């Protein structure tokens, strides 16, 4: 068998049913004879029948080489790093278990690298089942689980929007040179941490690399039922506050500063003088969507406060 040019790394954690759908979408890919692809499923400590389902897909016949590996270190970053280490292709494509891939993606991704000259490329990430949404939800989906930078190929810039990690392809040599994903960042089990993708792209920019967006490289995201529930978004914002704090402090040692109970005083000041008054104002206007947005601001602040107290570090006030 020829060495693959493209390795698709599909990370998964306790979503065997969605994983099978993701693999089926990959199996429908249309590629030419010159495009040699391998697919690696990285099981990140699943307790369901993930391994069995992958075996069944292989037994039924799969158009590409399909391998299963188990990664015991919990975390999306660790799983992606394991997939990178296992990859034999010079291009590594990342995909999450709750996504589907466009039929021409694997045929186009190598072409996009050649056309753009970039070290990292990606494209739109769109929900395929976002129907009958409550009024407060649609705008939240614009920055969680979706991304669309328009109809033409373009270079992305460090001060603009960046690719989503669920739809990202990168040259393996560059990913290895960067040291892979930071395992302190990113989702871990049920903890909704993030920022690992932003961190990786910022490090690539700092190393002189380029990142390109192309509308042909489409992946589709499944809007899971829990995202119709406000409690999911409360937890999402709280964990986002925690991971944002970790991200801002990832290269710093413990610092002093004006603190109360281990928490920077300006965090508490922002909570009391900005976040809570905005929430009260939204209630007065009886705008349900705006009210929930302001509630989520509070949850994000509480996440930052929690992590600051836990880690005992502080940063300068953000520009808000």
């Amino acid at each position: 068998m020829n060495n693959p040019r493209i390795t698709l790394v599909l990370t998964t954690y306790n979503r065997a049913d969605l994983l099978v759908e993701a693999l089926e979408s990959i199996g429908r890919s249309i590629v030419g004879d010159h495009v040699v692809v391998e697919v690696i499923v990285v099981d990140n400590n699943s307790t369901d029948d993930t391994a069995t389902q992958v075996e069944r897909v292989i037994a039924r016949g799969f158009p590409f080489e399909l391998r299963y590996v188990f990664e015991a270190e919990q975390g999306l970053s660790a799983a992606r790093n394991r997939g990178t280490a296992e990859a034999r292709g010079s291009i590594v494509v990342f995909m999450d278990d709750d996504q589907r891939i466009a039929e021409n993606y694997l045929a186009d991704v190598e072409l996009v690298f050649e056309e753009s000259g970039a070290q990292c490329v990606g494209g739109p990430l769109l929900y395929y089942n976002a129907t009958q949404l409550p009024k407060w939800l649609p705008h939240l989906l614009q920055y969680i689980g979706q991304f669309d930078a328009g109809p033409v190929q373009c270079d992305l810039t460090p001060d603009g929007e960046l690719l989503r990690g669920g739809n990202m392809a990168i040259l393996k040599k560059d990913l290895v040179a960067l040291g892979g994903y930071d395992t302190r960042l990113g989702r871990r089990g049920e903890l909704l941490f993030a920022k690992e993708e932003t961190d990786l792209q910022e490090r690539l920019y700092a190393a002189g690399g380029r990142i390109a967006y192309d509308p042909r490289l489409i992946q589709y995201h499944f809007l899971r039922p829990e995202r119709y529930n406000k409690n999911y978004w409360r937890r999402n914002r709280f964990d986002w506050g925690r991971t944002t704090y970790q991200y801002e402090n990832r290269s710093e040692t413990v610092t002093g500063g004006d603190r109360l109970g281990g928490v920077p005083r300006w965090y508490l000041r922002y909570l009391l003088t900005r976040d809570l008054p905005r929430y009260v104002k939204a209630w007065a206007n009886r705008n349900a969507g705006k009210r929930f947005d302001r509630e989520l601001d509070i949850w994000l602040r509480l996440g930052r406060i929690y992590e600051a107290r836990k880690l005992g570090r502080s940063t300068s006030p953000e520009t808000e």
Side-chain angles (χ1 to χ4, degrees):
M1 181 176 293
N2 294 330
N3 287 332
R5 167 67 169 159
I6 298 170
T7 298
L8 193 157
V9 174
L10 179 52
T11 54
T12 187
Y13 174 69
N14 282 342
R15 293 180 185 154
D17 53 344
L18 291 176
L19 172 64
V20 171
E21 294 181 9
L23 287 170
E24 289 173 346
S25 77
I26 296 168
R28 293 191 291 269
S29 296
I30 300 172
V31 299
D33 294 337
H34 68 289
V35 181
V36 181
V37 177
E38 68 170 351
V39 179
I40 300 175
V41 173
V42 183
D43 182 349
N44 194 205
N45 282 320
S46 297
T47 57
D48 61 7
D49 62 341
T50 288
T52 299
Q53 292 299 333
V54 175
E55 290 173 359
R56 289 174 178 171
V57 171
I58 295 173
R60 289 197 298 266
F62 197 72
F64 311 115
E65 180 183 0
L66 175 58
R67 291 192 281 140
Y68 168 92
V69 298
F70 184 86
E71 174 52 53
E73 181 181 350
Q74 195 70 62
L76 181 55
S77 291
R80 287 175 173 166
N81 288 344
R82 176 64 184 277
T84 302
E86 295 280 348
R88 293 185 294 126
S90 57
I91 295 172
V92 183
V93 176
F94 291 102
M95 179 177 171
D96 292 340
D97 55 9
D98 58 351
Q99 294 175 199
R100 299 176 183 176
I101 194 169
E103 288 183 346
N104 293 317
Y105 190 109
L106 296 175
D108 289 336
V109 68
E110 186 173 8
L111 181 62
V112 172
F113 273 107
E114 294 173 354
E115 292 176 350
S116 67
Q119 289 73 44
C120 179
V121 304
L125 185 59
L126 310 171
Y127 284 113
Y128 64 82
N129 65 324
T131 59
Q132 297 181 330
L133 302 178
K135 292 181 179 180
W136 53 266
L137 182 54
H139 74 284
L140 293 175
L141 300 182
Q142 295 307 309
Y143 62 89
I144 298 292
Q146 288 198 124
F147 174 67
D148 189 347
V152 297
Q153 185 186 108
C154 62
D155 272 17
L156 301 181
T157 60
D159 57 349
E161 282 202 276
L162 299 177
L163 297 174
R164 303 301 188 263
N167 181 1
M168 181 187 295
I170 186 168
L171 298 179
K172 179 176 178 177
K173 63 181 180 61
D174 291 286
L175 183 53
V176 171
L178 291 170
Y181 288 90
D182 189 334
T183 55
R184 295 170 296 178
L185 304 172
R187 181 163 182 165
R188 296 176 215 155
E190 299 304 324
L191 288 175
L192 302 178
F193 289 175
K195 285 287 190 180
E196 78 285 0
E197 299 146 359
T198 300
D199 170 72
L200 179 70
Q201 291 175 82
E202 288 181 347
R203 285 189 281 128
L204 179 59
Y205 281 128
R210 291 174 46 227
I211 300 172
Y213 163 91
D214 192 286
R216 290 170 291 183
L217 301 181
I218 304 173
Q219 291 194 33
Y220 300 95
H221 209 164
F222 175 69
L223 182 59
R224 300 190 298 278
E226 62 263 31
R227 293 193 179 184
Y228 288 83
N229 189 308
K230 287 185 176 182
N231 283 336
Y232 168 86
W233 295 95
R234 292 176 178 118
R235 184 164 60 93
N236 175 279
R237 289 293 89 187
F238 183 82
D239 285 352
W240 181 257
R242 293 184 63 188
T243 196
T244 299
Y245 186 85
Q246 290 182 3
Y247 179 71
E248 292 171 351
N249 286 271
R250 65 197 186 282
S251 300
E252 299 179 9
T253 57
V254 175
T255 61
D258 189 13
R259 306 168 70 85
L260 178 65
V263 177
R265 286 181 181 271
W266 71 268
Y267 280 17
L268 303 172
R269 184 173 67 250
Y270 273 43
L271 176 65
L272 296 174
T273 65
R274 197 200 71 150
D275 299 330
L276 285 171
R278 285 183 174 182
Y279 180 56
V280 171
K281 184 178 179 180
W283 267 98
N285 292 335
R286 296 186 178 182
N287 184 321
K290 181 66 70 175
R291 185 165 66 237
F292 190 53
D293 282 352
R294 296 314 183 198
E295 179 188 339
L296 294 180
D297 289 341
I298 294 172
W299 282 106
L300 186 144
R301 185 72 57 194
L302 291 174
R304 293 176 69 91
I305 291 171
Y306 175 90
E307 202 68 11
R309 181 162 185 168
K310 178 182 177 183
L311 298 180
R313 300 199 287 252
S314 68
T315 57
S316 299
E318 70 264 46
T319 301
E320 298 189 57

